[in-house]
Amino acid sequence: MNWIEALVLGVIQGLTEFLPVSSSGHLAISGTLFGLNGEENLAFAIIVHAATVLSTIFVLWPEVSSLFKGLFSFKRNTETQMVSKILLSVVPVCIVGLFFKEHIAALFDDNLLFIGVMLLVTAALLALSSYIKPLQKSEISFTDACLIGVAQAFAVLPGLSRSGTTIVTGLLLGNQKESVAKFSFLMVIIPVLGETVLDLKKGYFSVESLGISPWVLLCGFLAAFLTGTLACKWMIRLVKSSKLIYFAYYCIAAGLFAVIYSLVK
């Protein structure tokens, strides 16, 4: 992987992590087009996912700092309840990660047909959210947090957008647009950082063995962080203005491209 490929893939990750078009699916498609091997693609994915998590913390720092202050006040308050909901929401994806990680990883290996189908499923979910107008709840409940967490667990499938799936689920449950968008971005921080630490600890990520230059990884990291910061802010505004249907059209195009490419290559 050279620095140009890292820059392009970093930008793709930064944009697609927050926009409801599946970052994993786009990285897999791009990696295939660039001819990257599975291990090289996985190592790079670890770096750029960590970058987008940091961009989430940067954009939502007022909310994150408020949660920490409320949590360490050691009192039952709004912040401790929200932290409890976030922790509850990550349980399903942690279960999937612990027991089905190898099976999920296998779906990323030269499987553009499956990714294309999942992008079409993402398009259907985004279209559904544009036609169903539920009542607006004042806050996300524990039940809602659990169900949104289940949606996040399903979104580990490549091509199924995590942000799209979780935001659409929250909207269909009747939650306010801005609150469910922020909750969707906050709930991914723990599992992604946790997975990154575990992969580093277990030796799944080794720059030396993969032959990737640290400067190349830094280029991808910075590209993902900067574009992720912009995309996170943009996505919150888009959810508030109910413009997710446009991403459904894009997912249809990307999904059809992946399906056709997988059949004719």
Side-chain angles (χ1 to χ4, degrees):
M1 179 185 295
N2 57 47
W3 72 270
I4 296 178
E5 292 172 338
L7 179 64
V8 173
L9 291 174
V11 170
I12 291 173
Q13 165 65 22
L15 290 175
T16 57
E17 176 65 29
F18 299 101
L19 303 182
V21 294
S22 177
S23 62
S24 61
H26 278 72
L27 281 181
I29 293 172
S30 302
T32 299
L33 295 178
F34 287 163
L36 303 179
N37 62 60
E39 289 187 350
E40 189 176 20
N41 218 1
L42 176 60
F44 185 78
I46 293 173
I47 287 293
V48 293
H49 272 93
T52 49
V53 166
L54 291 179
S55 67
T56 303
I57 296 173
F58 178 76
V59 173
L60 299 179
W61 180 246
E63 288 80 4
V64 173
S65 61
S66 176
L67 290 176
F68 273 110
K69 289 177 182 178
L71 181 63
F72 289 104
S73 67
F74 300 106
K75 298 178 181 178
R76 182 177 176 82
N77 49 41
T78 302
E79 288 76 20
T80 55
Q81 288 187 1
M82 178 56 71
V83 171
S84 298
K85 293 172 185 177
I86 292 174
L87 292 175
L88 177 63
S89 73
V90 305
V91 171
V93 76
C94 289
I95 293 174
V96 171
L98 287 173
F99 296 103
F100 303 101
K101 182 174 182 177
E102 293 183 359
H103 299 286
I104 298 298
L107 294 175
F108 285 82
D109 295 335
D110 195 24
N111 204 352
L112 288 186
L113 178 60
F114 181 83
I115 292 171
V117 172
M118 289 297 99
L119 281 168
L120 295 177
V121 173
T122 297
L125 290 173
L126 295 174
L128 179 63
S129 71
S130 299
Y131 292 103
I132 297 180
K133 306 297 182 182
L135 298 175
Q136 298 294 301
K137 298 179 182 177
S138 58
E139 64 178 24
I140 296 174
S141 67
F142 281 95
T143 300
D144 292 346
C146 183
L147 292 175
I148 296 172
V150 171
Q152 178 171 247
F154 277 103
V156 300
L157 297 173
L160 190 59
S161 169
R162 191 208 67 82
S163 64
T165 303
T166 54
I167 289 174
V168 168
T169 299
L171 293 177
L172 294 178
L173 290 171
N175 293 287
Q176 295 178 355
K177 298 173 182 177
E178 183 175 5
S179 63
V180 77
K182 290 182 177 181
F183 185 81
S184 171
F185 297 151
L186 289 171
M187 67 187 287
V188 76
I189 294 175
I190 296 175
V192 171
L193 287 183
E195 183 181 14
T196 301
V197 171
L198 288 176
D199 286 342
L200 289 170
K201 187 176 180 179
K202 293 179 180 179
Y204 292 157
F205 173 74
S206 174
V207 176
E208 292 78 10
S209 63
L210 294 173
I212 305 176
S213 167
W215 297 109
V216 169
L217 290 176
L218 178 61
C219 182
F221 178 92
L222 293 176
F225 176 80
L226 294 174
T227 54
T229 298
L230 296 174
C232 184
K233 294 179 179 179
W234 187 26
M235 186 59 186
I236 293 173
R237 292 197 297 268
L238 287 173
V239 173
K240 290 170 65 176
S241 59
S242 302
K243 293 182 178 179
L244 297 182
I245 187 63
Y246 298 111
F247 293 102
Y249 301 143
Y250 174 82
C251 286
I252 291 174
L256 290 176
F257 169 80
V259 169
I260 294 173
Y261 185 86
S262 68
L263 295 176
V264 302
K265 69 173 182 176

